[in-house]
Amino acid sequence: YLSSFEKLGLEIGLLFQIADDLIDYKGSSKKAGKKTKKDIKKGKATIISLLGYENAVKYANKLKQNVNKNLQTYNNKSNDLIETINFIMERNK
């Protein structure tokens, strides 16, 4: 059994990993500051290889909405974390 905090932490970690996979898949090496397309070349299993790019984006957005909804129960105390979640999804490196 996971506490609500543990579940939230796992979801945030998953969201970060999906965002990283999306950057590797679609991002440019110049913007990312690192080589991209590595996962495909290595044949690595990612959410994108399992669901496809569009479905991975949809899943990430749904996960983000769920995380933000759960964080809103903490009112203003969670504003910084909500901003961090938004940054995770908008980053390109």
Side-chain angles (χ1 to χ4, degrees):
Y1 174 75
L2 295 176
S3 72
S4 60
F5 291 118
E6 290 170 320
K7 185 177 179 195
L8 189 58
L10 288 172
E11 288 177 340
I12 292 170
L14 178 58
L15 191 60
F16 185 88
Q17 183 58 54
I18 293 169
D20 193 59
D21 290 348
L22 293 170
I23 290 168
D24 185 74
Y25 185 80
K26 278 273 193 172
S28 75
S29 294
K30 187 174 182 177
K31 282 185 180 180
K34 62 182 182 177
K35 288 186 178 183
T36 56
K37 318 288 188 273
K38 295 181 307 215
D39 292 342
I40 295 171
K41 290 176 186 173
K42 291 180 181 178
K44 197 172 180 184
T46 65
I47 193 96
I48 298 166
S49 66
L50 297 172
L51 300 178
Y53 179 80
E54 294 297 323
N55 286 329
V57 170
K58 287 178 188 177
Y59 180 74
N61 285 326
K62 187 174 182 176
L63 184 59
K64 176 187 164 193
Q65 287 175 349
N66 187 50
V67 167
N68 283 337
K69 178 183 167 193
N70 289 331
L71 286 173
Q72 287 174 354
T73 62
Y74 300 101
N75 301 316
N76 293 338
K77 295 177 185 177
S78 64
N79 286 344
D80 289 341
L81 194 49
I82 289 172
E83 285 181 30
T84 301
I85 300 302
N86 290 330
F87 172 79
I88 288 170
M89 288 303 297
E90 293 168 9
R91 71 190 179 97
N92 57 18
K93 58 181 177 178

